[in-house]
């Protein structure tokens, strides 16, 4: 081999190795930003994600039109779409809606969503306008809904209200005042009633039900920890600190094995097993510099973020 071809060969190997270790894709949004939570439907289509202008979008793949409008949560946004599309203004969030946590009902194919301003809602498999399920508890409207998960056996929904004092657009104040008025709540699918399970949480955020349904987890963003609330057994109805984390946790999602992916805001994906042991930590900074959710789907990690304008794939 001459010097030139040796050089090319080395370059080729280097590029091949480099590209392999950087298995990174970014799916840019059409407009707006902040794809906070991610879900796939019954047939594996998606990701679906809720963004800053109030829309919930579905990714159909590059060859099938890219992102399509799937649903909206705010009544205003249904009729006056053009006022909202592409908005990243916090002042428009209440008007246009701000869909955050998403979860699929695996039986019916409905998608459940918590809108930070408009309450707990459900969207049929065909999309369109989300239908409200609950917007208050004990007569007091929710203030800042954020995360949810569903018990896929009985249909009960667990969700968080981050603060009783501040709305999502004021989330900086939840942090700076060290607000501890966050709550974990339950929507009973039979009685349609909401009950408060835990009060006094610090920036209550992501929610995940365990695979065996014996407990539900809730992240406390400003305490770098996750609490476990028992749903059965000797400790039923009590809670405890489940794991302390190396940063501020946002959403938490269970994978098919029964382990959990926790998104740490400064772009760490942390995998925790069912007993609360950290079993993997992945730095995903190269895909997204700030993340809100890690959703495992067919061997890949889909990364949501409230700050940036793409969905990351790792
Ligand atoms: C999911 O769908 C099934 C079948 O329609 C229903 O029985 C169940 O209550 C639903 N889950 C929720 C969370 O509503
Ligand atoms: C757990 O306690 C709740 C009330 O706090 C009760 O409704 C439920 O049936 C109990 N679950 C089990 C499995 O014991």
């Amino acid at each position: 081999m001459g010097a030139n071809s040796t050089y090319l060969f080395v370059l080729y190997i280097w590029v091949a190795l480099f590209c392999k270790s950087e298995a990174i894709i970014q799916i840019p949004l059409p407009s707006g930003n902040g794809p906070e939570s991610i879900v796939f439907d019954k047939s594996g289509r998606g990701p679906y994600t809720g963004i800053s202008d109030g829309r919930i979008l579905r990714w159909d793949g590059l060859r099938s039109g890219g992102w399509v409008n799937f649903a909206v949560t705010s009544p205003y946004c249904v009729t006056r779409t053009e006022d909202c599309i592409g908005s990243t203004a916090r002042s428009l969030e209440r008007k246009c809606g701000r869909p955050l946590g998403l979860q699929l009902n695996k039986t019916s194919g409905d998608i459940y969503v918590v809108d930070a301003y408009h309450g707990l809602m459900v969207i049929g498999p065909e999309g369109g306008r989300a239908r409200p399920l609950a917007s208050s508890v004990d007569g007091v409207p929710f203030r800042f809904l954020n995360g949810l998960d569903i018990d896929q056996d009985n249909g009960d929904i667990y969700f968080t209200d981050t603060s009783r004092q501040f709305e999502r657009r004021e989330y900086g104040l939840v942090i700076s005042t060290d607000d501890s008025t966050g709550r974990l709540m339950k929507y009973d699918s039979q009685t349609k009633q909401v009950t408060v399970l835990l009060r006094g949480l610090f920036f209550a955020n992501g929610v995940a039900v365990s695979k065996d349904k014996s407990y539900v987890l809730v992240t406390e963003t400003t305490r770098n920890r996750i609490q476990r609330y028992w749903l059965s057994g000797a400790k039923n109805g009590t809670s405890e600190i489940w794991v302390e984390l190396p940063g501020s946790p946002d959403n938490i999602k269970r994978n098919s094995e029964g382990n959990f992916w926790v998104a740490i805001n400064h772009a760490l994906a942390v995998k925790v097993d069912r007993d609360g042991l950290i079993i993997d930590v992945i730095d995903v900074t190269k895909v997204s510099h700030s993340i809100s959710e890690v959703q495992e789907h067919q061997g890949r990690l889909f990364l949501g973020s409230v700050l940036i304008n793409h969905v990351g794939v790792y």
Side-chain angles (χ1 to χ4, degrees):
M1 267 194 259
N4 244 351
S5 51
T6 306
Y7 170 77
L8 283 177
F9 181 71
V10 169
L11 183 70
Y12 171 77
I13 294 292
W14 185 82
V15 167
L17 285 176
F18 184 75
C19 291
K20 192 166 191 301
S21 68
E22 303 279 294
I24 287 168
I25 306 167
Q26 294 176 346
I27 312 175
L29 298 177
S31 61
N33 67 16
E36 205 257 354
S37 182
I38 286 161
V39 77
F40 291 83
D41 68 19
K42 270 175 86 172
S43 54
R45 258 193 322 189
Y48 293 70
T49 190
I51 68 170
S52 61
D53 65 7
R55 281 180 294 167
I56 296 167
L57 306 174
R58 184 183 67 218
W59 175 249
D60 280 354
L62 263 186
R63 290 195 188 131
S64 312
W67 290 104
V68 298
N69 293 336
F70 176 68
V72 289
T73 45
S74 144
Y76 183 86
C77 196
V78 173
T79 51
R80 304 287 295 279
T81 321
E82 67 282 0
D83 293 2
C84 294
I85 282 188
S87 167
T88 56
R90 284 194 210 162
S91 56
L92 288 179
E93 285 187 355
R94 169 166 284 285
K95 193 156 92 175
C96 297
R98 185 55 174 109
L100 294 177
L102 296 171
Q103 189 56 283
L104 171 74
N105 178 331
K106 289 180 184 156
T107 315
S108 64
D110 294 331
I111 290 177
Y112 288 78
V113 54
V114 276
D115 182 286
Y117 300 86
H118 298 282
L120 173 65
M121 308 178 112
V122 60
I123 307 161
E126 303 310 318
R129 184 173 170 176
R131 188 166 56 80
L133 293 177
S135 58
S136 66
V137 60
D138 302 330
V140 183
F142 304 137
R143 193 83 176 161
F144 177 175
L145 292 194
N146 200 327
L148 91 162
D149 197 12
I150 304 179
D151 177 331
Q152 298 284 352
D153 289 343
N154 65 15
D156 291 343
I157 302 169
Y158 298 90
F159 61 106
T160 49
D161 198 14
T162 292
S163 168
R164 297 188 67 174
Q165 312 202 63
F166 303 110
E167 296 191 317
R168 198 206 88 92
R169 58 185 162 171
E170 306 165 309
Y171 71 85
L173 289 170
V174 183
I175 300 168
S176 64
T177 64
D178 205 24
D179 181 85
S180 63
T181 62
R183 292 173 296 175
L184 173 68
M185 295 173 291
K186 171 183 165 180
Y187 174 84
D188 186 305
S189 65
Q190 299 298 313
T191 65
K192 319 278 183 222
Q193 295 300 306
V194 177
T195 49
V196 179
L197 303 179
L198 278 177
R199 294 184 161 80
L201 299 174
F202 289 86
F203 207 123
N205 202 330
V207 180
V209 178
S210 67
K211 196 170 184 179
D212 66 1
K213 318 295 190 308
S214 64
Y215 60 84
V216 55
L217 300 172
V218 55
T219 68
E220 289 184 282
T221 301
T222 51
R223 278 295 177 279
N224 295 358
R225 70 186 181 195
I226 299 176
Q227 297 224 28
R228 162 159 63 181
Y229 179 90
W230 287 97
L231 298 172
S232 65
K235 295 193 211 161
N236 186 13
T238 68
S239 68
E240 69 215 359
I241 294 168
W242 185 65
V243 64
E244 310 256 8
L245 295 156
S248 312
D250 198 323
N251 287 342
I252 175 167
K253 289 285 169 183
R254 184 163 50 77
N255 71 6
S256 52
E257 298 157 355
N259 297 319
F260 301 89
W261 281 109
V262 184
I264 303 287
N265 283 148
H266 60 266
L268 289 181
V270 174
K271 194 184 200 176
V272 187
D273 76 6
R274 63 197 77 192
D275 300 318
L277 286 175
I278 294 176
I279 51 176
D280 202 358
V281 178
I282 305 174
D283 182 340
V284 293
T285 326
K286 284 183 178 135
V287 192
S288 303
H289 62 79
S290 167
I291 60 169
S292 57
E293 181 165 305
V294 179
Q295 177 72 267
E296 186 174 330
H297 180 70
Q298 296 178 346
R300 295 193 285 181
L301 300 180
F302 287 79
L303 308 173
S305 171
V306 278
L307 298 175
I308 58 185
N309 59 359
H310 65 253
V311 170
V313 188
Y314 182 89

